[in-house]
Amino acid sequence: MDFRRKSKARVERKPEYENLEQKYKHNVLLYRMPPTEDIKIHEFEDLALERLKVLRILEQAQAKSLRFLSDDWKEYVHDELSREGLKGYLRLCTNGGNTAANNASKHEFELQARRRDYISHFILRLAYCRTQELKSWFIAREMELFKYKFSAMTPAEIKQFLDLHNLNYVPLSAEQKNAVKDGLIESTVGQSVAKIEMLDFYKVPFTQVLDLVRSRRCYLKDGQAYVNTHDFISIVGTKQLEEIEHGLKSAQRLIREVETDERLFTLLKSLHTSYTGKDYTVGKDVKVPIESIDQLSKKSFPLCMRLCHEHLRTNHHLKYDGRMQYGLFLKGIGVTLEDAIRFWREELTKKMDPEKFAKSYQYNIEHNYGKKGSLKDYAPYSCAKVIQENVVQGSVNGCPFKYYDQSTLKQKLAAAGLGTAHIQDVAGLAAKHHYQLACAKYFQVTHDTNVEVAINHPNHYYLQSQELMGNRVEKKSHAGPPRKSTKGNVSGSQSTQDYSVYMNADDDDELWNIADDTQKTFESSTQKPAAKSTDIAWEDDLDLTAIDC
Amino acid sequence: MPEMETENTNSTTTEPVTAENPDEKQKKTTYAAVYDPECLPDMLPVYYRRLFPHKPFYRWLSYGLSEDGIFVNREISFTLHDDIYIRYLCFETQQEFEKELCTRCPFKIDIGAVMNTRPKNNRISAAAMAPVQRELVFDIDMTDYDDVRTCCSDKSVCQKCWKFMAVAANILDTAVKEDFGWEHILWVFSGRRGIHCWICDYEARHLDTQGRSAVAEYLQIINNAMGSNGASVSRVFIGERMHHSVRRAYQIIEPAFEEIILRDQNLFSSPKGIEKLCNFIGDEVARQETEQFLLNNVEDGAPALKVWEAFKRYANSMRCNATQSVWSRRLKNIIEEIQLACLYPRLDINVTKGFNHLLKAPFCIHPSTGKVCVPFNASVAGKFNPTTVPTIAQLLQEINAFDEKNKAEDEADEKSRIKDYKKTSMFKGVVVFEEFVRKLETSLKAKSKKLNEINMEF
Ligand SMILES: [Zn+2]
């Protein structure tokens, strides 16, 4: 993707209906060509976060050890998608290639969903190309999403999909099929003998269906795999995988240039750790008196915060990262600024000069409450952020289920009052890197409940605990559309400036080499209706020409 | 650190060189030559100078120079005396390679991948160095069969246990040929208790990591589970229908099962073998019931053959009588599954999966046994006898004896020296190897000819 700053005005244009029809012809699409339209940076962020939610749902399903595409898996993903209001994805995932062409409004909804799906994939490539770890995560999730969508198609829809993507596979003739019939019947897994007689079979090099080969799910002869229409999920999956891997490589080559724009840089860089649920910026509803913290920390704090609290009480000290993590959490549960300053002063000045506290520490607290410096109201850390924290010797920030070795963790759990069997359960999940599940288990044990909780945010942990104990009822005001929290990272992106993001149709590699050829992009831009061009800041206009990623 | 084939070269345990049934020609020489690991450094120079098949070895690894850098970018590593291990060696020509072998006399030669650059440049360009091709390799080690062999254990191997290897080689050889269509397959005895398989077809050499791991897992049907006694037990689960590759393997295994498992190994003889047999049953209740049944119904001390017959009758009756039980579902193929679990190839699939894995070259001398890592023919693997594979000591004695005899007749026949191995019991192994190389070159030539013809048309 090219984010070269453009010298010419760019106008936002709402994609037209028939235009969409042409571009996004099917619910399931291979992400081959980069998108070719203008989008604003708001939408850029929106689309990215929306897709991220979807991918995280898939991640959760996996963390719950649900077998991919099993009924349980589908039910879980389906429920979560509708709970999060991701109707577009839900439609794409469950409707196969069946379009609602006879219902205009439904059809347009579907087309919009396709568009969001398509563009957001390319945006996330930019965010996920930077490290091997991110790439692996992204590829695994994207392949799940793709296969989920693909699996909903009927054989006829699959054929349509193949035609659309110029994937020309010719089924075996009756004679050819007959010659390998025994092998097909013996080795085609997942289909009854009667079905096998009926189905069309295709002969492809075994390297195109490695997952079928690996698990001995198809007939194999002389290096050729014999697969049926239903197995195209495997063939096309391989193609999609190659496409994404290649795309990530290209994205990686371009990322430095893209990041010359600071807003995009911050957005893309923090995307994976950004929190997609409620942001808990301020505990608006309830004021929590600081005197109750000792009590609350034992019952309602997640282990990460409980340890911060205990460390502070015992050592009267907490390193910067710990103060940030814990301080913002306290703010989130409803500790007022005044209480917070009092609380930190009391503790910290047991070991330091009150003057030093007033000079450098108090400032930080006020800063976190948005009263100093950037005047930005900082959001408490989500689990994703806490888990990603860099934990150094002697600090107590980060996720204890991640950073403690097994024996230390078990000690801490024992100190928190857990019995041996429970300690084993919790520590066992942590050992398998299921930190949030370990935390959820810890929640269940400490609350003596079987209620299934999903832990994504320490402040949510706190709220669930309080609700469970009847201390608090969830306010209706939270039921509205979840707010995006990355505004904390992307400063200014919510402003009224009109940043237009342009994606060019000519998407060849070579376009990257003709960076100076601005004439071309100029021409394509001037052909667009210039309805709303006055309020555009010229230098802020971005050119996302030729996204080859 | 890249993976290495792990074999304890410091071990002093060696199996006796049994000369019970030596080849006719070698009868005279075998009895005297006892290998002493201490003398290996003294013997290796002569071996590399006079016996190592330099020419076919180079011809193999150069693949008719069909691709750029195919020989010169190949990583070779040497293990020298005192475990000095040198990686990232590479050679420009056959002459250079031969010279290095003769002067450094490695205890072990390992073959790695063909890189995108000279491996010796790795210090300059380590980040950029990447493997571009590599034979697909398989490694089967006798120690993985310890739970199904009673004749020997650990490092030792006899003709009875070799039968496990022969069946494994047979199954694997057929599978890669029929299912994957590969034909240039080199089987090598690893010098003590295992076998290596090198698949050298173009497509196999160019498989990526994913492809290698898929092939490896396709050919790996044995799962390791925990038995009732806490020991690891190998199990196979067939499922609804037997995949054609498994059925083909079964057709090789079934006729050999009685001889190997029931007679030679007498694996299930009462009473101890009953537990062993029942451990193959994955269902705990069924396992206990079967064990009880067999203990009650088979006389104490009965041979495996009797126990197996009783088990088969029991399993069949359970399957027919209780149509809703585990016997008619999960255990419905238990008889075949046990047979497969005993004899299906037990692969070390990590060796196969690794693109960059180093594997011991053919014609190395195993430092503990002194035996030559000779190639053998998979189709007649049953006739191969690991106990009579010549040791380096034996080979040197053979050429000495030959030299003595011919001294008077022809003192300065330089040409005959090149083919010294033909005077020894290594001869057969070299013939197998040369035959493999010849076929490989023929097919490469045919391929390039075809390519030329296509190009001519334009
Ligand atoms: Zn033996």
Side-chain angles (χ1 to χ4, degrees), chain A residues 46 191 219 321 416 474 531 541:
Chain A
D46 265 5
Q191 303 295 340
Y219 180 57
D321 290 330
E474 192 162 17
D541 203 359

Side-chain angles (χ1 to χ4, degrees), chain B residues 149 151-153 156-162 265:
Chain B
R149 58 175 183 158
C151 55
C152 315
S153 65
S156 48
V157 55
C158 69
Q159 256 188 292
K160 280 183 182 172
C161 1
W162 179 259
Q265 304 296 336

